[in-house]
Amino acid sequence: MSAESQTFTERYDLLGCIQCGRCTGGCPVTVRANLNVRRFVNDAYYEEKLDELARQAEIWDCTACHTCAVRCPKGLKPLEVLLGLRAMIIESGKVEPTVRDALQSVLLEGNPWEKSRAARSDWMEGLDVKIAEPGVPVENLFFVCCTIAYDPRVQAIAKNIVRLLNKTGVDYAFLDDSETCCGSEVYTLGEEGLFEMLVEDNTEYFNEYSAKRIVTLSPHCFTTYNVHYPDLNKPVIHYTQLLDELLKEGKLVWKGDLPKKIVFHDPCYLGKQGGVYDEPRDLLKSIPGAELLEFERCRERSLCCEGGGGKMWVESESKKERLAETRIKDAKALGADIVAVACPFCVLTLEDAMKGLGYEEEMRVAEIMELLGEFIEA
Amino acid sequence: MTEKPKVGVYVCHCGINISATVDVDAVAEYAQKLPNVVVARTYSYMCSDPGQSLIKNDIRELGLNRVVVASCSPRMHEPTFRKAIREAGINPYFLEMTNIREQCSWVHEDKEEGTAKAKKLVKASVAKARLLEALESKEVDAEPAALIIGAGIAGIQAALDIADAGFKVYLVEKTPSVGGRMAQLDKTFPTLDCSACILTPKMVDCASHPNIELMSYSEVEKVDGFIGNFDVKVRKKARYVDFGKCTGCGDCAAECRVKDRIPSEFDQGMGKRSAIYLPFPQAVPAKYTIDPESCLFLTRGKCGKNPKCQEVCRAEAINFDQEDEIVEFKVGAIIVATGFDPFDASRKPEYGYADYPNVITGMEMERLVSASGPTGGKVKVFNSEEEIEPKEIAFINCVGSRDKSVGNEYCSRVCCMYTAKQAHLIRDKIPDANIRVYYIDVRAFGKGYEEFYDRVRRENIRYIRGNPSEIFKRGNKLVVKVEDTLTATPLEDEVDLVVLGVGLEPRADMRQVMDLLRLSQSPDRFFLEAHPKLRPVDTATEGIFLAGCCQGPKDIPDTVAQAKAAASSAMIPLARGKVMIGAQVATVNEATCRGCGFCVNICPYTAIELVTVNRFGNEVEVARVNEALCKGCGSCSAACLSDSIQPKSFRDRQILPQIAALGAMK
C-alpha cells in the first residue's frame, strides 16, 4: 500500500497506541513548551480534526530527538505524527519564510544554508584532500554534512579529520562539491516530497562509488542514512566509530596534553538514535591529561539540545529556559572546563547558550574533532 | 491390498467456520464424482456425535473401506475420527483428513476461490486415501515413576500430588534448596498470607515423603527414551559437605573466613552470606553447601592454615575431595517446572537501575519488607551517606512487560498485584509516606484481586495513570519523568525511592532444558504448550508436561493449579502402566538401504541407528528405526539418498499421487 492511499491512522499505526504516556513523559521539551505528543497521537485518529491539529503552533516545538520513539512500548514513532502534521502545513505552503528558504536552498543548491553548491568544498582549501571518484575502490568514503561544509564555526571538524587521516595513512576519500544534503532536516520539517527525492538521488549517487563504507561527520546524516535509506549498498558509520577503531589499533598518537575537565554531551542522533555511546568517550579519554566527567543525564538519559527537528529555522515561542542553557548550567555545576560534543548542531546550540549565560571566560564548547585537532602531530 | 477402495467423503460446515467461505454442498457434489468415491456428504459439525454416526453408518451400510473427512486441521480431530471408524470396524489408519478450515476457509475471503481450493484439496485427499495401508499401534510398559525438573512451588506441588498417588518421584533442583521464587516472597496477594508460612510445610513434606527422592543441587544431564520409558541421567553436584553427616548446625558458616562478604542470591544480593551456606534459614534440605566460586580453599587451594569450616564442624562433614556424582534412573513421565527470571531492570537504562541504589526492583522490595530479609523488614534507603526512611515512594508498573522496546510484548500478570501488595505493606510500615503507583492499566483479574486493589487505593495509595519514561537524580531526590495522562500533565515527580514492578522473563538458562527435552518456545519465548486451551500442560513430546512460569507468567494460584494439572496428566501413563506407540513411524527398506547414516544424524528424536545385517553373505550396515522413539516426522525420508526410509502413511507412493492430484486441476 502506498503512503498516499493510507489514512493517517494507518500510516502512523495510531491504533497500536495504548496512551501510556511514556512519549510525553520522556519528551524533553515539555518543561518549556506546551507540546503533548501523546495527545496528538490520540487526536489524530479523528480525520476531521487533522487540519486543526496541524495549525497548533506546538507541532514545531518537537526537536525530533526521537526519545518518544525509542521509549514507546508498542514500537510507534509518536514524533512522526507531528512531522505528518507539519507536512500538511508544508503542502499548504503556509510556512515561515525561513523554512521555505531553507527547503528551496536544498532543492536548488543541495544544502539548507542558502549557499552556492560550487562553494561546498571551499573548506578544503589549503588541505591535501583525497577526492573520491565513482568506481575507484576506497575504504572510507566521507560525507561532510552541509553545516560542517559551510559554517566556518564548525568547518574545523572536517579540516582536522583530513589532517588526522593523512597522518594515519587510512584509506579514505571525500566527495567533491557534488555532495548533496542527506535530508535529515528536510524530513523533520515535513517536506516529504523533497525528502523522497533526496533519498532516491543520494542512493543512486552513493551506490556508484565503490567504497567499503560511508563515514559521516554529523550524527544527523549518520542516522538519516541508516534509517531512511533502505537501498544504500554500503554501511554507514559515524566518524567517532572509525577513530575509535584506529585508537584501538594504536594508530592515534597525540602530541601534548589537555589537563582539563571535559564533559561529553550525547547528541540524540548519535546516542539515543544511533546507539553510539562509548566511542566518543573513548576518544576523549585518550587525550593525555583530560579528565572525563559525566552529566547526571547522560547516555540513554541524555537531554536534547533542541538543535534538531528543523529548529535551526523555526524559533520556539516559549520564553522559558532553553534546554541548551539547562545543559550548560549542569556542566558548570559539574565544574567542567569543556563541554565536548560530536555534532555540529549541538556545537551551535550549546555555544549559543554558553555565551548567553556569560560563561565564555571559564568554559568552552567544542566538537571532539576540534579538540583532537590540537593534538595531531604536525 | 486387493480389496477395491470404497471411499466416503465427509465435508464439514464447522458451523459457519467453513461454510461461510466454502460452498460445502458443491464440494460434496464434486467429490461424489471422483474415482472410487461411493458417497459424499456434508454435515454441520462432523466431529459431533451425529456427525460421527453418519460416517459409522455409511461404513456399515455401504461397506466403505476408506474415509476422507474434509474439515479442520488433523491436530485436534484426527484421533476422534480414527476412533469412530475403528468402532465401525475398519482400520483407524484408513482415514485421511483434508484441512479446509485453517488452510482454506479461514485464510480466504472469496467464496468461489475458497470452494475451488477446497475441491482441489479433497481431490488430493481422495487420491491418497485410496492408497492408505492398514497400520497397527503397539503398547509397551510404562515405568511408574516421574521426573520433575525444578522445585519451586510448581515442582513441589506436582511432586507431592504424584507421590501421594503412590508413584515414585525424582525431584531435581538446581540450587541447594527447594522453594524457588516463592520462598523469597514476603506476603502473598490478595490474602496476605505469609509466603514462607504456607510454603515451608510443603517444602518439608517433599523432603520427607517416602515416594519422593529429592535431588537438590543437581542438574539433569541427559534424557533419552520416550513416554513411559525415559532414561534420565542426573549430576549431583559436589556440595563438599557430607550430606549424611551434616546436621545443619551452622557453625561452619559462622566461622567462614569470607563470612558476610558473598552476595546472597536469596536476598537478591542485598544481604551477604559465607562461602559455606544455607541459602535461607528454612532451606530444605537443611544441609550446608560450599560455593566453589567463592570458597578460598577451593579457589586458591588455601584458607588460612586450615579451612575454618573443617576445624569447627563437629560432625566432620566437610569434605573438599567430594566429587560430582552421576545418578541414572528410569521414569514414565517428566514435568518441567523450571520457573522464570525476573526482568533485568538494567536493560531499561532510562530508569537508572544500574546507577541509583534507591531504584530497586519488586523482588528486592520483597526482601526489604520481609522480617527475615537483610534489613529485618525495615524499609530504608540511603541519601548520600545518611540512612533515611523513605517518605516519597513511587512504584512503576509494566517494567519489562508489555514493552516491545525490550522484546517482551506480553503482560507479566503478577506485577499489578504485587505492586499493590507492596504498597500496602509499606503503608503499614511507614504510615505517613506518600505512595504512588504509576500504571498503564491495572489488571486485577483473579479471585479477590479487584477487591484488594480497591482496599489498597483507600489506604491512600495514589494511582497515577502514566508510564514513566525516565528517572534521573536531582540533589538527593530521584526525579521520575512521567505524564499524568488523565490530566495530560507532564510531571517531574521527586521521590526518595522507586520500586520497579519488573515483569517475568523466560529463564536465561532455558536453552539447556530445551535442548535436553527438545521443547519448543512460543513467540514470547516461554515453553510452548501443545494447545493453548485444550492441552495447556502438555508439550509436543508425549510424556513431557509443563508446570508454572516456565510456560508463561503466572501467579501462585494459577501455578499451583497448573502443577496439579501437570501431575494428573503425568499420572495417566503411570497409572495405566502401558503406553501406546504411534503406528505412523518410519520404516526402512533394508534391501536398498546403503547404510550411509544420513538419517541417523538428521533424526531429531535419535530414533534411528545403524545395525549390521547379513546381505547375501556380506555383513552390511543398514538403518533401523526404534518405533517407540520415531514420531513419523519424515526428516529421514527427505534426506535419504536411496528412498529407502519412508514414514508409513506418507510413503512416496501415497503422497506423489496426492500431489499430482493437486496439480492436475486448473
Side-chain angles (χ1 to χ4, degrees), chain B residues 67-229:
Chain B
V67 171
V68 171
V69 180
S71 57
C72 47
S73 139
R75 195 171 153 147
M76 182 78 206
H77 281 307
E78 194 173 59
T80 311
F81 295 114
R82 285 236 170 95
K83 188 161 159 276
I85 68 170
R86 193 185 61 210
E87 282 166 8
I90 65 172
N91 188 286
Y93 293 90
F94 283 154
L95 169 78
E96 183 64 18
M97 285 191 72
T98 317
N99 184 350
I100 57 166
R101 193 178 71 177
E102 286 87 343
Q103 292 174 356
C104 189
S105 69
W106 278 358
V107 290
H108 297 297
E109 282 171 5
D110 185 295
K111 194 159 181 174
E112 212 167 293
E113 286 176 355
T115 306
K117 179 169 168 183
K119 285 180 185 172
K120 242 188 205 188
L121 292 170
V122 168
K123 184 185 182 192
S125 290
V126 170
K128 183 184 172 192
R130 296 183 297 166
L131 304 164
L132 289 172
E133 54 195 325
L135 303 177
E136 295 302 331
S137 28
K138 297 172 194 160
E139 266 193 345
V140 297
D141 288 342
E143 186 73 25
L147 162 70
I148 297 176
I149 308 175
I153 180 58
I156 289 173
Q157 186 60 55
L160 288 174
D161 280 11
I162 296 174
D164 282 349
F167 300 106
K168 170 94 182 170
V169 175
Y170 299 91
L171 179 58
V172 178
E173 165 59 38
K174 195 173 189 171
T175 70
S177 172
V178 303
R181 295 287 178 194
M182 185 177 167
Q184 290 178 277
L185 308 181
D186 182 45
K187 294 195 167 128
T188 53
F189 61 78
T191 45
L192 299 174
D193 356 36
C194 142
S195 188
C197 310
I198 56 176
L199 177 65
T200 317
K202 286 184 185 285
M203 290 166 58
V204 174
D205 282 355
C206 79
S208 60
H209 202 295
N211 283 342
I212 299 179
E213 187 165 338
L214 173 60
M215 301 182 188
S216 58
Y217 207 49
S218 301
E219 287 182 47
V220 179
E221 290 237 308
K222 197 162 183 241
V223 175
D224 283 330
F226 54 95
I227 180 170
N229 294 276

Side-chain angles (χ1 to χ4, degrees), chain A residues 29-44:
Chain A
V29 301
T30 54
V31 295
R32 61 184 307 260
N34 234 349
L35 177 63
N36 185 329
V37 66
R38 176 190 57 79
R39 294 207 60 174
F40 279 95
V41 173
N42 185 67
D43 296 348

Side-chain angles (χ1 to χ4, degrees), chain B residues 463-517:
Chain B
Y463 271 74
I464 303 174
R465 194 189 176 283
N467 190 238
S469 186
E470 200 166 297
I471 296 167
F472 58 91
K473 224 170 164 192
R474 188 179 285 150
N476 271 340
K477 296 282 187 182
L478 292 164
V479 180
V480 178
K481 210 166 142 33
V482 59
E483 183 199 7
D484 177 347
T485 59
L486 295 184
T487 59
T489 317
L491 305 169
E492 291 196 349
D493 187 14
E494 299 198 347
V495 299
D496 302 313
L497 174 67
V498 175
V499 186
L500 303 176
V502 292
L504 276 51
E505 282 201 312
R507 282 183 66 97
D509 59 6
M510 77 182 303
R511 172 62 55 183
Q512 223 177 306
V513 181
M514 267 177 80
D515 292 347
L516 202 63
L517 300 172

